[in-house]
Amino acid sequence: MEVAAASYVADVDNFKATELRLGLPGTEEEPQKTAVVPTPPSTPRGKKRDVSGPEDAAKKRDGEAAPLAAKVQMVGWPPVRSYRKSCFQQASSTKSKPAAPEETTTAAAGNGLFVKVSMDGAPYLRKIDLKMYKGYRELREALEAMFLCFSGGADAPDVNPSDFAVTYEDKDGDLMLVGDVPFDMFISTCKRLRIMKGSEARGLGSVKNN
Amino acid sequence: MTYFPEEVVEHIFSFLPSHSDRNTVSLVCKVWYQIERLSRRAVFVGNCYAVRPEHVVLRFPNVRALTVKGKPHFADFNLVPPDWGGYAGPWIEAAARGCVGLEELRMKRMVVSDESLELLARSFPRFKVLVLISCEGFSTDGLAAIASHCKLLRELDLQENDVEDRGPRWLSCFPDSCTSLVSLNFACIKGEVNSGSLERLVARSPNLRSLRLNRSVSVDTLSKILVRTPNLQDLGTGNLTDEFQIESYFRLTNALEKCKMLRSLSGFWDASPVCVPFIYPLCHQLTGLNLSYTPTLDASDLTKMISRCAKLQRLWVLDCISDKGLQVVASSCKDLQELRVFPSDFYVAGYSAVTETGLVAISSGCPKLSSLLYFCHQMTNDALITISKNCPNFIRFRLCILEPKKPDAMTNQPLDEGFGAIVRESKGLRRLSISGLLTDKVFMYIGKYAKHLEMLSIAFAGDSDKGMMHVMNGCKNLRKLEIRDSPFGDVALLGNVANYETMRSLWMSSCNVTLKGCQVLASKMPMLNVEIMNELDGSSEMEENHGDLSNLSKVEKLYVYRTTAGARDDAPNFVKIL
């Protein structure tokens, strides 16, 4: 068995060696640092197209003759404020971008917005589609229905709604109480839900009864 | 004049418009110095390390408006290491001790802590205006303190600061009794705000003229707010995504149409092209438009909006507008005075849809253009010469060709002649940034013609010390000189040292100046602080070396500024003050 496994590994290595790709032998292809000539930017707007007309084609050819190190990042160049750069990063994380490293749950319109829901003490998580709910009340009812089995039973015969607080993790990674912002905005910023119970949640649950 | 009673002299001084005029009269005689200092209401400190805060407060105890600037301009581009300095604390503490009548504080590129904001909020009972630009070090808790305790607050203007988000609570801290707001700008706050609190705050602020919201504010909230602010002059929208119902946008248009005084528009966070037509009813009255944070709109969306803005005077936009789009701007916006075209791609030599063609079109359509910031893919001498003749009224001309040292796109020559034409034709030029392939010749032109130049930014330019010396010898009004990656060394640095006394500051990074040159400068000019920063190995290695070799080592970063305060005591260990 081990021999077979070893030979399989060896085959994989050989496969890599015979793999057809651009680049000098012995070099690894690094997706970000590959020398690429300037191309139309991958702006957050996914379907960005070339807006230049035919007379600009000549200029683009000049551009393409630029040094191969075109995609290099240099400290402080171009001279753009870091505030501006960080705004653009924020912009690209709200739009659906396939290359985004972090797991985004905002999807293009119509695809459903599934987020994980965890509840303190529950053995497994659930997933719900936020787009299915018109408002906070429907959402809360659905959550209560989903997780009732974990809060009820012999352990806690009297379940007090004010002992639960529904919180969510937003785009920035902060833990927020559900219900402060308009529902539409909540949907666009919510990345996952967490139902807190017990002493952490005492009193919080009763504030929002929407 | 000495026979006049003091009140009369003071009254005469109140007609002096500028700081420099008041500074001048204070030098005439002791009596005038006293009268002037006790009646001075506004003080501007261009470099927070040029003078001790205690001395400012001691000299001007009755100051009402204080402006302080901290880090050098190149800090905007991460060229100044973090923790360099520029702390607001000492200024706020000194003012809290010495001039409790302070009403206005404006700070730029400074490090402000929550504790300082708390102290500010509690120390000045008549405090009215807080403007923070490109500052950092504070959180929304500090803003909560300001909101809670500044009962007479008129302006809270936060521009492009790096603010730590600690939740939406701060906005709810404005008490119900706060009804004096005229200007509120929280566009740079990253987190969410409570829309109910925001609506209530706007509802009780009848004097609100300027309101800039952040990304978290929805279209619905914006519509509700605008119904309350028919006298609004300047608006920064919240987000304008397409995740809202169409009814929301109809409500928005209706609300916008009622704002007859609205002249200036910005924000457009995450704006969807779908939302753009809902802004059209406003366009004819706009004089200012900032679309530069909206990469989601393309050239066609942008031009459809801008072509309706016949009265536009100030336009900030991204380079996705393209040359064609700029031609539309040129034919639509005849009153344009200020144009900024920012890059949407931040790589060196990144792609840009904007070239010299766009700028030439603008110059021929908009002869009133006086302030320009233009990031582009390429430029030619011919274009610059044409532009210089079309627009002889430039006050600010900042051109950034994305690829360093790029020559004339047609002739492959340096761009000396083009920039030479600009400085020759625009005799009132005060600020200039140059880029592309440039030899010492361009500096010869600058030194010869740019007589009113106050600020010059140089990157990847010049051949030899002669270049910098042309500038130092010719530009008598120069206040700020900042240079990076250019072959200027000790000879240029020491060529005209007397100039540094009349300048605010000099910045040189990745040039050819050596430690020895800096030491000579420091010893010749004791009224300057000569700060050197070598991040690679810190100053300890330099001290350990005994030979001349260490003195000839190049200085990574040099910052020289005149000061009456001596060496500062808050410098981090990577900064050495000679």
Side-chain angles (χ1 to χ4, degrees):
Chain A
M1 283 292 281
E2 279 182 356
V3 173
S7 67
Y8 172 75
V9 168
D11 280 345
V12 169
D13 282 347
N14 285 338
F15 176 70
K16 219 165 173 48
T18 58
E19 172 188 8
L20 284 176
R21 59 181 177 86
L22 296 173
L24 298 171
T27 59
E28 280 300 318
E29 193 172 300
E30 293 169 71
Q32 289 301 79
K33 298 251 181 72
T34 308
V36 173
V37 295
T39 56
S42 54
T43 56
R45 187 163 186 193
K47 48 182 166 62
K48 172 83 184 166
R49 64 256 189 289
D50 188 354
V51 296
S52 55
E55 67 272 23
D56 297 325
K59 295 198 181 116
K60 288 234 311 293
R61 278 201 298 279
D62 288 343
E64 280 160 10
L68 284 178
K71 282 287 193 186
V72 166
Q73 286 195 324
M74 192 191 288
V75 175
W77 194 267
V80 169
R81 278 190 181 163
S82 26
Y83 171 78
R84 174 170 290 278
K85 288 185 185 170
S86 67
C87 281
F88 277 49
Q89 278 157 19
Q90 250 187 305
S92 62
S93 68
T94 56
K95 288 287 164 189
S96 53
K97 199 173 179 222
E102 74 270 13
E103 176 199 357
T104 62
T105 50
T106 46
N111 281 3
L113 210 52
F114 283 92
V115 297
K116 291 185 190 169
V117 187
S118 63
M119 174 158 155
D120 290 352
Y124 51 80
L125 281 65
R126 299 294 299 268
K127 258 202 164 164
I128 57 170
D129 180 0
L130 289 177
K131 294 215 170 200
M132 297 296 287
Y133 307 102
K134 293 205 195 58
Y136 284 121
R137 176 149 38 151
E138 277 189 25
L139 174 65
R140 202 178 167 88
E141 281 166 4
L143 291 175
E144 278 174 20
M146 252 187 202
F147 285 96
L148 201 61
C149 47
F150 298 121
S151 56
D155 293 331
D158 40 344
V159 173
N160 191 353
S162 66
D163 283 349
F164 292 87
V166 183
T167 62
Y168 71 100
E169 185 187 311
D170 72 357
K171 288 198 294 289
D172 296 327
D174 296 321
L175 192 67
M176 317 282 295
L177 186 69
V178 162
D180 279 336
V181 301
F183 193 69
D184 294 301
M185 188 196 303
F186 158 71
I187 289 181
S188 66
T189 63
C190 171
K191 294 184 81 172
R192 59 182 295 160
L193 286 161
R194 179 183 160 201
I195 303 174
M196 295 163 75
K197 67 175 201 169
S199 54
E200 265 187 70
R202 193 136 292 142
L204 288 178
S206 57
V207 174
K208 289 288 169 233
N209 54 3
N210 220 2
Chain B
M1 279 279 277
T2 39
Y3 301 123
F4 288 170
E6 282 186 15
E7 305 84 62
V8 175
V9 178
E10 187 181 311
H11 185 65
I12 296 172
F13 285 173
S14 68
F15 290 99
L16 293 171
S18 75
H19 299 288
S20 51
D21 288 336
R22 287 197 73 117
N23 292 346
T24 308
V25 301
S26 70
L27 294 172
V28 168
C29 65
K30 284 206 176 99
V31 174
W32 280 27
Y33 177 87
Q34 286 297 348
I35 298 172
E36 197 286 314
R37 78 175 187 92
L38 292 171
S39 61
R40 178 87 75 117
R41 295 282 177 258
V43 171
F44 173 82
V45 179
N47 173 4
C48 65
Y49 291 120
V51 61
R52 297 209 80 90
E54 304 81 52
H55 291 167
V56 173
V57 162
L58 206 63
R59 181 173 166 186
F60 303 112
N62 301 316
V63 71
R64 303 247 172 91
L66 178 63
T67 305
V68 188
K69 294 168 102 173
K71 300 185 206 176
H73 174 238
F74 272 177
D76 283 352
F77 318 131
N78 296 338
L79 288 178
V80 176
D83 302 326
W84 171 84
Y87 301 107
W91 288 90
I92 295 175
E93 285 152 29
R97 282 191 291 270
C99 42
V100 288
L102 192 69
E103 295 179 11
E104 303 178 19
L105 181 63
R106 294 172 175 81
M107 296 196 143
K108 187 169 184 180
R109 284 191 210 100
M110 296 195 73
V111 179
V112 186
S113 67
D114 283 346
E115 290 74 32
S116 293
L117 289 176
E118 181 96 27
L119 180 63
L120 174 70
R122 292 186 190 278
S123 307
F124 307 108
R126 291 208 295 270
F127 197 74
K128 294 193 175 75
V129 172
L130 179 63
V131 179
L132 298 175
I133 305 175
S134 295
C135 295
E136 53 168 349
F138 62 103
S139 77
T140 47
D141 283 352
L143 300 178
I146 298 287
S148 306
H149 303 296
C150 298
K151 311 242 178 297
L152 301 175
L153 197 68
R154 266 191 354 224
E155 282 181 47
L156 178 60
D157 187 359
L158 306 167
Q159 296 179 32
E160 303 195 345
N161 302 291
D162 184 13
V163 185
E164 188 195 331
D165 180 46
R166 299 234 182 110
R169 167 184 85 93
W170 68 275
L171 192 69
S172 314
C173 287
F174 284 101
D176 289 343
S177 54
C178 174
T179 58
S180 46
L181 275 180
V182 171
S183 168
L184 176 63
N185 172 5
F186 62 92
C188 65
I189 300 298
K190 296 183 270 253
E192 277 151 29
V193 294
N194 185 304
S195 47
S197 294
L198 178 60
E199 289 166 39
R200 285 190 294 278
L201 178 62
V202 172
R204 64 178 186 276
S205 304
N207 299 319
L208 204 59
R209 294 290 169 268
S210 168
L211 180 64
R212 295 191 184 185
L213 310 169
N214 77 351
R215 206 172 218 134
S216 75
V217 177
S218 70
V219 175
D220 284 330
T221 306
L222 177 59
S223 309
K224 287 192 198 137
I225 287 172
L226 288 174
V227 168
R228 304 282 198 170
T229 56
N231 294 328
L232 203 64
Q233 289 166 8
D234 165 55
L235 173 68
T237 71
N239 71 72
L240 295 175
T241 59
D242 54 14
E243 289 163 13
F244 293 93
Q245 309 286 6
I246 211 79
E247 291 84 46
S248 301
Y249 276 104
F250 281 121
R251 275 198 292 275
L252 178 65
T253 307
N254 287 339
L256 282 173
E257 273 169 345
K258 298 202 172 54
C259 297
K260 301 287 182 207
M261 311 283 289
L262 201 52
R263 294 284 172 272
S264 154
L265 204 54
S266 60
F268 291 91
W269 305 107
D270 306 315
S272 152
V274 162
C275 80
V276 167
F278 294 94
I279 311 288
Y280 288 169
L282 260 192
C283 291
H284 70 278
Q285 62 194 63
L286 292 179
T287 57
L289 185 57
N290 183 353
L291 295 162
S292 68
Y293 287 102
T294 316
T296 42
L297 297 178
D298 68 5
S300 129
D301 305 318
L302 295 170
T303 48
K304 281 195 207 125
M305 194 187 325
I306 298 172
S307 58
R308 291 169 152 81
C309 301
K311 292 206 188 118
L312 212 57
Q313 293 171 15
R314 186 177 47 85
L315 174 64
W316 292 24
V317 78
L318 287 174
D319 60 5
C320 14
I321 193 170
S322 82
D323 285 336
K324 276 219 171 57
L326 289 174
Q327 281 161 3
V328 173
V329 174
S331 55
S332 316
C333 308
K334 296 303 182 187
D335 284 341
L336 198 67
Q337 290 167 27
E338 177 181 330
L339 175 66
R340 295 197 191 191
V341 179
F342 292 95
S344 43
D345 185 354
F346 301 131
Y347 291 106
V348 172
Y351 175 76
S352 171
V354 145
T355 70
E356 76 275 11
T357 308
L359 191 55
V360 170
I362 291 281
S363 73
S364 75
C366 313
K368 292 187 195 171
L369 195 66
S370 61
S371 176
L372 180 73
L373 172 61
Y374 197 77
F375 285 81
C376 61
H377 177 57
Q378 63 183 45
M379 187 50 60
T380 66
N381 282 308
D382 273 354
L384 283 172
I385 292 169
T386 305
I387 291 160
S388 74
K389 298 213 163 67
N390 288 343
C391 297
N393 301 315
F394 278 117
I395 299 194
R396 280 172 230 104
F397 189 90
R398 298 156 70 189
L399 182 70
C400 181
I401 302 165
L402 288 168
E403 186 188 324
K405 298 197 196 179
K406 189 164 186 179
D408 180 316
M410 295 295 188
T411 67
N412 257 356
Q413 294 299 301
L415 290 170
D416 301 332
E417 298 306 315
F419 280 104
I422 295 287
V423 295
R424 204 172 30 243
E425 300 295 329
S426 285
K427 301 185 175 24
L429 193 68
R430 294 208 301 257
R431 183 168 178 184
L432 178 66
S433 303
I434 56 182
S435 59
L437 182 65
L438 295 162
T439 71
D440 285 345
K441 203 164 184 203
V442 72
F443 298 109
M444 190 265 291
Y445 288 136
I446 293 173
K448 188 170 175 188
Y449 294 112
K451 289 306 179 190
H452 294 279
L453 196 65
E454 293 175 4
M455 183 168 176
L456 179 61
S457 308
I458 302 169
F460 306 100
D463 304 316
S464 74
D465 287 323
K466 287 212 192 79
M468 183 171 158
M469 298 201 51
H470 283 308
V471 172
M472 295 297 286
N473 293 333
C475 299
K476 295 299 177 201
N477 285 307
L478 199 62
R479 292 215 237 120
K480 288 182 277 185
L481 180 58
E482 46 185 28
I483 308 172
R484 64 166 292 181
D485 294 274
S486 300
F488 307 136
D490 296 340
V491 172
L493 180 68
L494 300 170
N496 197 336
V497 293
N499 267 14
Y500 300 128
E501 262 195 306
T502 61
M503 287 167 59
R504 186 187 298 172
S505 65
L506 165 72
W507 169 279
M508 293 180 77
S509 57
S510 305
C511 297
N512 291 343
V513 292
T514 69
L515 178 57
K516 183 139 175 53
C518 296
Q519 286 167 336
V520 171
L521 177 62
S523 64
K524 276 191 177 177
M525 304 287 286
M527 76 294 295
L528 301 177
N529 273 356
V530 179
E531 293 194 9
I532 56 180
M533 295 167 245
N534 277 357
E535 287 152 86
L536 300 171
D537 43 42
S539 52
S540 51
E541 196 186 292
M542 284 193 296
E543 278 161 18
E544 280 162 23
N545 278 343
H546 298 300
D548 290 325
L549 222 56
S550 66
N551 280 359
L552 292 178
S553 58
K554 284 198 193 152
V555 164
E556 195 41 45
K557 294 176 190 191
L558 168 68
Y559 185 46
V560 179
Y561 53 91
R562 64 179 178 188
T563 178
T564 59
R568 57 188 177 106
D569 49 19
D570 60 3
N573 52 12
F574 59 79
V575 170
K576 194 166 176 210
I577 305 179
L578 301 176

